[in-house]
Amino acid sequence: MQKDQRIILKIVGAYVIISSLWILFSDQALSLLAKDMDRYRQMQPYKDWLFILLTTLLLFGIIRYQTKKLKSSGKQLLSHYEELEATYEAVVAMDEEMKEQYEALEHKLDQLQEAKEKYQLIVEGCTDNIWDQDFRTGRMVFHRTKEMLGYKNNEWEDTEDSFGSLVHPKDLPKIEKAKEAHLSGQEPHYQCEFRIKNSDGDYRWIQSRGKAVLDDQSKPLRMSGSHIDVTEQKHLMMEIQGMAYYDALTELPNRTLFYDHLEKSLNAHRKSQRKLGLLSIDLDDFKRINDTRGHQTGDEILRQGSERLSQLMKDGEILARSGGDEFLILKPGISSRQEMEVFAQKILNQFIPPFRIGSSEFFMGTSIGAAMYPEDGEDRGTLIQYADAAMNEAKAQGKNNYRFFDQAIQERVNTWMETEKNLRHALQRDEFVLYYQPVMQADTQLIFGAEALIRWDHPEKGILSPVFFMDIAEESGQIIPIGEWVMQTALSDYAEWAETFGFSLTISVNLSPVQFKRPDLAEWIDRILQQYGVPPENLQIEITETAAMENLQHSIETLGKVKNLGVKVALDDFGTGYSSLNYLRVLPLDVLKIDKSFIDHLGKDSKEAAIVKQIITLARELELKVIAEGVELKEQKELLQQFGCEAFRGYLFYKPMPEHALRKCLEREHRKTERQRDRKAVPVPLSSCQKSLK
C-alpha cells in the first residue's frame, strides 16, 4: 500500500513541477517566438496543446515505467513464491524424513538396549569364558577367564600384554599366526589352542575362538570370543596319541613310530653317507610259555625282556616292540659290521639270566636278524624285510643266535617271492591236484579211508610236495582259497566214488592253522557237505597240536560245533607239539594220529616203543581211535598191532596216488565185492590193489 502511495506522489509531484515550470516559462518562450500580439494570440492555443501533449507523454512514460516495474516485481514475487513453496515442500519432506529417522533411531536404541540386555544375560548365563579385545585402545576385557585360572579380577591388567605374559612362550607365535590368518581373511574365525599359566603356576590348555570386526579399510576394530579349558581333553588326546604310537604293555615305541623314525634316519644317513644298522629280534619259545603258563606270565616276560633290551640302548638308538614277541632296534651311525656283531652278542648275553616271575624261573633266548644300510638295502621296506628274513634264518638254525642278511638268504627270499607270485596264479591255471593215500584197518588189512594230500603240478618243476609251498601259502594268505579248493575237490571226488561204487569211506582233509581260525568254520564245512551230498560221518578233518593249542578255548568251541555236524575230528602229528594230557581231555576229538617221527624208531629204540605204547594205551582209555603214520616196515606194523593200534598209513601199504589211480584200485575191488557195497569198510586186499596200480 505504501508503495502505491509513493508511486502516486511521484506522478503528482512530477505533474506539479512540470506545470509550474510551464506556467513560469511558457509565456516567456512564446513571447520570444511571436514578436507581435496577433501572432502571440494565434500561438496561444498551440501552447496549451503542447502542454497537454508534454504532460501526457510525461505521465505516459512515468506510468509505463511503473507498470513495467510492477510487472517485473510481480514476476519476481511469483518466482520467490514458487521458490518459497518449493522450500516449504522440502522442509515438509525433511521434517517427515527427520521424523522417520527419529523413529528409526528410537527403534535402533531399543534394539541396542535389547541386545545389551541379551548380551548381559548370555555373558552371565554362559559357562564359557568370554573375552573382548579393542584394537584401538589395546584394552582386553575378560569374563570368567581370570576366575577359571584362579586369579582375582585385579591380579593382571586388562591388556593383551598382561594376558600374553601368562601364555607359554612356545605358544605365543602360534596365537599370533592364528590371529593374522583370521584378520587377513584367510580364516573365517580365529581359533587356537595354547597353554596358559594358572594361579598355582601350572599350565592349563585353553581353546580360544573369536571373530573380528573390521572398518571400511579392513583394519580390525575389535575381536570377541570365548575361552574354554580343554586340559582334560588334551591330556586324553595325548594318551590316545600315545596309544597310537607306543606299546601299552612295554611303553616302547610301536611299529608305526619306529617306521617313521627309520624313514627319517635313512634320509639323514643318505645326506651324510653314513651306515645304519637294523636288528629284528624274536623271543624264542615265547609262544609256548604264553600258551601253557598264561598271558599274565607272557606279558611279564615281555616287560622284563624290553627292560633288558632298553639297558643296552645309547643316545640316538631306538628300541620298539613291533608286535607279539618281536622287537626292532635302530642303530644309526655304525662304523662296521663288527660293531653290529658285538651288539648282537650283547643282546644274546642279556638273555642268559633266567626270567624270575613269582617263584618260577624261565629260560629264554633270542633269535636276531640284522640288515645294514646301504649294503643290504636303501629303503625302509627292504631293510625291514631283510632283517626279518635273517631273523627267521637264525630261528631255523636252532634259535638263540644271530644272522646277518647275506646272498644265500637273498636267494631264499627271491625263491619265496617267486613261489608266492606263482601260487597266486596256480589256482586259476588249475595246477593243483589231489593225491590220496589209503588208510588201512589194522585187524582186517582193508582200506577204510583215504587222506587227501595236495600236490602242485608246477609247469617247470613238475609235481611238488606241500613242503615246498605250504609255509609260503600260509604266510601269504593263499592257504584260504587253496584250502577251499582242497575241501571241495575231496568231497566232490568222494561223491563220485559213492555214486559209482555204492560204498562209504572216511575221507580225511587237513586244515591249516589259518583255516582253523575261521569263525564260520563249522558253517563252511556244513555248506560244502550239503553242496556235494556227502554224509558228515564220512568226513574227517585233521588239525595239528600247535593249531589246537594256539587258542584252546576257540579250539574247544570250534571243534565242538564241527562234531555236532557229525564230522570226525583227528589230532594230527601227536607228540611233536605240546603233548599235553590236559588238552586231550578237554578237546572234542575222535582220532589221535601218532607222528611218523615216533614210528621211525620202532624196533630200534625201546624207549620210543615204550612212548608209542603209552600213547596208544592213553588214547584207548580216552576212547580215541589211533592211527599210526609213516609205517614203512613190517616190524613196525607188527609192534603197533601188539600195542593195540587200530589203523595205519604209510609206504608199507600205499604211497600217495592220484585220484584216477585210487579209483582204479577201488573199481577193481568193487567188482569183486559188489555185494558188500553197503558195508562201511570196503575190503580191498593189499595185493590186488598193488597189482592194479602197476
Side-chain angles (χ1 to χ4, degrees), residues 417-543:
M417 295 177 67
E418 182 67 21
T419 303
E420 180 192 8
K421 182 185 72 174
N422 292 333
L423 270 176
R424 294 185 180 276
H425 300 293
L427 269 178
Q428 300 172 1
R429 297 170 180 167
D430 199 24
E431 293 175 358
F432 290 116
V433 294
L434 277 189
Y435 275 43
Y436 294 94
Q437 188 170 19
V439 180
M440 308 299 298
Q441 191 77 32
D443 54 355
T444 64
Q445 297 293 293
L446 301 176
I447 297 175
F448 80 93
E451 182 171 346
L453 304 169
I454 190 172
R455 298 291 186 266
W456 184 3
D457 189 3
H458 196 281
E460 298 176 0
K461 301 178 181 179
I463 300 295
L464 296 179
S465 167
V467 69
F468 292 101
F469 62 87
M470 192 54 65
D471 289 344
I472 298 175
E474 290 186 353
E475 288 187 38
S476 65
Q478 294 301 302
I479 191 62
I480 296 298
I482 292 174
E484 291 185 356
W485 178 86
V486 169
M487 181 68 75
Q488 291 178 345
T489 303
L491 294 184
S492 175
D493 288 346
Y494 177 87
E496 291 184 10
W497 302 336
E499 182 179 358
T500 302
F501 305 118
F503 52 72
S504 60
L505 297 172
T506 297
I507 185 77
S508 298
V509 178
N510 292 278
L511 294 183
S512 76
V514 177
Q515 284 179 287
F516 187 58
K517 292 177 182 178
R518 288 184 63 148
D520 63 337
L521 180 65
E523 292 81 359
W524 171 67
I525 292 174
D526 185 45
R527 193 162 53 248
I528 300 179
L529 285 170
Q530 294 185 32
Q531 179 181 351
Y532 293 101
V534 177
E537 61 270 16
N538 294 120
L539 173 64
Q540 175 176 293
I541 64 166
E542 301 185 5
I543 61 169

Side-chain angles (χ1 to χ4, degrees), residues 15 56 75 152 237 281 297 304 318 346 373 396 419 508 538-539 546 560 584 625 628 669:
Y15 182 77
T56 300
K75 290 181 179 180
K152 295 180 181 179
M237 288 299 295
I281 304 166
T297 299
Q304 292 187 24
I318 300 173
K346 287 182 179 179
Y373 168 85
T419 303
S508 298
N538 294 120
L539 173 64
T546 304
L584 285 180
K625 187 180 184 70
E669 295 310 313

Side-chain angles (χ1 to χ4, degrees), residues 360-371:
S360 302
E361 288 187 348
F362 301 92
F363 291 88
M364 182 174 295
T366 59
S367 296
I368 306 168

Side-chain angles (χ1 to χ4, degrees), residues 21-302:
L21 291 174
W22 182 265
I23 293 172
L24 293 175
F25 300 107
S26 62
D27 287 340
Q28 293 179 10
L30 184 60
S31 63
L32 291 176
L33 292 174
K35 298 298 185 177
D36 56 38
M37 211 48 190
D38 292 334
R39 183 73 173 167
Y40 179 82
R41 282 194 296 270
Q42 284 181 342
M43 294 183 66
Q44 189 68 35
Y46 293 106
K47 180 190 75 166
D48 295 336
W49 285 107
L50 181 61
F51 173 75
I52 294 170
L53 179 61
L54 291 174
T55 54
T56 300
L57 291 172
L58 177 63
L59 290 174
F60 176 77
I62 293 172
I63 292 171
R64 185 181 180 190
Y65 170 76
Q66 291 299 328
T67 301
K68 288 183 178 180
K69 193 173 182 181
L70 285 173
K71 286 183 178 180
S72 177
S73 298
K75 290 181 179 180
Q76 290 181 356
L77 181 61
L78 180 61
S79 176
H80 290 326
Y81 175 78
E82 291 175 351
E83 290 179 1
L84 182 61
E85 187 177 25
T87 303
Y88 174 75
E89 292 176 355
V91 169
V92 171
M94 188 179 298
D95 182 59
E96 292 177 356
E97 185 178 354
M98 288 181 66
K99 285 182 179 180
E100 292 177 359
Q101 290 179 351
Y102 177 76
E103 291 174 356
L105 181 60
E106 280 190 330
H107 182 65
K108 288 187 179 295
L109 288 173
D110 292 339
Q111 287 182 327
L112 183 61
Q113 181 63 28
E114 183 180 357
K116 182 178 179 181
E117 292 172 356
K118 286 182 179 179
Y119 176 76
Q120 189 67 25
L121 288 173
I122 291 172
V123 169
E124 292 178 358
C126 182
T127 56
D128 291 347
N129 309 283
I130 308 300
W131 57 269
D132 179 84
Q133 182 178 1
D134 192 329
F135 290 101
R136 295 163 295 186
T137 63
R139 191 164 182 264
M140 196 170 183
V141 180
F142 304 96
H143 177 75
R144 291 185 178 169
T145 297
K146 295 181 180 181
E147 179 183 346
M148 174 186 69
L149 297 173
Y151 293 102
K152 295 180 181 179
N153 193 46
N154 58 355
E155 282 195 63
W156 87 61
E157 297 180 1
D158 291 336
T159 63
E160 185 179 12
D161 291 340
S162 296
F163 180 75
S165 66
L166 300 174
V167 175
H168 195 288
K170 292 185 178 180
D171 293 341
L172 285 172
K174 182 166 59 172
I175 295 176
E176 292 303 318
K177 184 177 180 181
K179 280 187 178 180
E180 180 61 29
H182 173 52
L183 296 177
S184 63
Q186 299 176 25
E187 296 292 339
H189 297 88
Y190 158 73
Q191 181 169 336
C192 186
E193 289 184 359
F194 54 86
R195 291 162 290 178
I196 189 169
K197 189 181 297 183
N198 64 11
S199 59
D200 296 330
D202 299 324
Y203 281 101
R204 306 288 296 178
W205 278 98
I206 299 296
Q207 183 188 76
S208 181
R209 285 178 55 87
K211 190 170 181 63
V213 177
L214 309 178
D215 63 12
D216 296 338
Q217 285 75 40
S218 298
K219 293 182 179 179
L221 299 175
R222 68 184 324 113
M223 183 163 64
S224 299
S226 63
H227 285 149
I228 302 176
D229 189 336
V230 293
T231 305
E232 300 304 324
Q233 295 94 313
K234 200 72 175 179
H235 288 167
L236 179 61
M237 288 299 295
M238 289 178 178
E239 289 180 11
I240 294 174
Q241 187 178 22
M243 292 171 62
Y245 294 103
Y246 289 87
D247 175 56
L249 179 63
T250 62
E251 298 183 356
L252 293 175
N254 62 12
R255 184 191 295 109
T256 302
L257 186 58
F258 183 86
Y259 285 1
D260 183 60
H261 280 298
L262 176 57
E263 191 68 49
K264 293 177 181 177
S265 186
L266 283 171
N267 291 334
H269 281 66
R270 289 188 190 100
K271 296 177 181 178
S272 61
Q273 297 183 345
R274 294 183 300 161
K275 294 183 178 182
L276 176 149
L278 177 66
L279 296 98
S280 178
I281 304 166
D282 183 85
L283 303 186
D284 297 332
D285 298 322
F286 171 80
K287 189 176 187 319
R288 175 179 58 81
I289 296 174
N290 190 59
D291 290 344
T292 57
R293 299 303 295 268
H295 293 296
Q296 290 184 346
T297 299
D299 289 349
E300 184 58 30
I301 287 177
L302 289 173

